[in-house]
Amino acid sequence: QVQLVESGGGSVQAGGSLRLSCEGSGYMDSRARMSWFRQAPGKEREGVAIIFTDSSTTFYADSVKGRFTISQDKAKNTVYLEMNSLKAEDTAMYYCATRLGRLDGHWTDPSQYNYWGQGTQVTVSS
């Protein structure tokens, strides 16, 4: 069983920064894919960024490219999401998710993931 716990959310003004953390425990596959998703009220869950834990390869949604950075600390089983130049439209509940093993579909598809954290709220005021 895998548990994911997010932290680091909060309220900031537009242009500000936050760093989210996702700590994993339990069985962590060395080839796991770790992703951040977000969901705003009334909207579908949206893939934000993914990191392949074996190669550190990363991909981002177009809406966050150049502003967000996903990274990992393998020793701590933790994945981070550094968010800069935040905009009001970044306001959402942010979740981390993992799939044990390779994806068999697009990384932005929530159904690809086996485990989810409880979420951390990010609110950006303009």
Side-chain angles (χ1 to χ4, degrees):
Q1 190 73 6
V2 174
Q3 292 82 41
L4 302 174
V5 179
E6 302 99 332
S7 61
S11 297
V12 295
Q13 291 191 331
S17 299
L18 283 172
R19 187 176 81 156
L20 307 183
S21 299
C22 173
E23 182 176 0
S25 60
Y27 175 70
M28 298 298 289
D29 188 332
S30 62
R31 298 172 301 168
R33 276 53 172 137
M34 297 290 296
S35 292
W36 284 98
F37 281 76
R38 65 186 181 186
Q39 189 166 22
K43 294 190 176 181
E44 292 187 353
R45 193 162 292 194
E46 172 191 21
V48 174
I50 183 173
I51 186 164
F52 294 4
T53 58
D54 50 355
S55 65
S56 294
T57 299
T58 60
F59 295 99
Y60 297 90
D62 287 343
S63 58
V64 306
K65 277 181 185 175
R67 300 188 298 122
F68 291 12
T69 302
I70 188 171
S71 62
Q72 62 176 338
D73 184 332
K74 290 185 178 180
K76 296 181 179 180
N77 278 336
T78 300
V79 172
Y80 303 98
L81 186 68
E82 185 76 34
M83 306 186 295
N84 298 314
S85 302
L86 283 162
K87 305 175 181 179
E89 51 263 44
D90 294 319
T91 295
M93 185 72 79
Y94 283 71
Y95 301 90
C96 65
T98 188
R99 176 184 176 93
L100 302 183
R102 296 182 181 275
L103 299 169
D104 60 10
H106 201 275
W107 69 269
T108 57
D109 178 2
S111 70
Q112 292 290 310
Y113 298 85
N114 311 104
Y115 300 97
W116 292 82
Q118 82 289 347
T120 186
Q121 178 68 37
V122 172
T123 302
V124 185
S125 57
S126 57

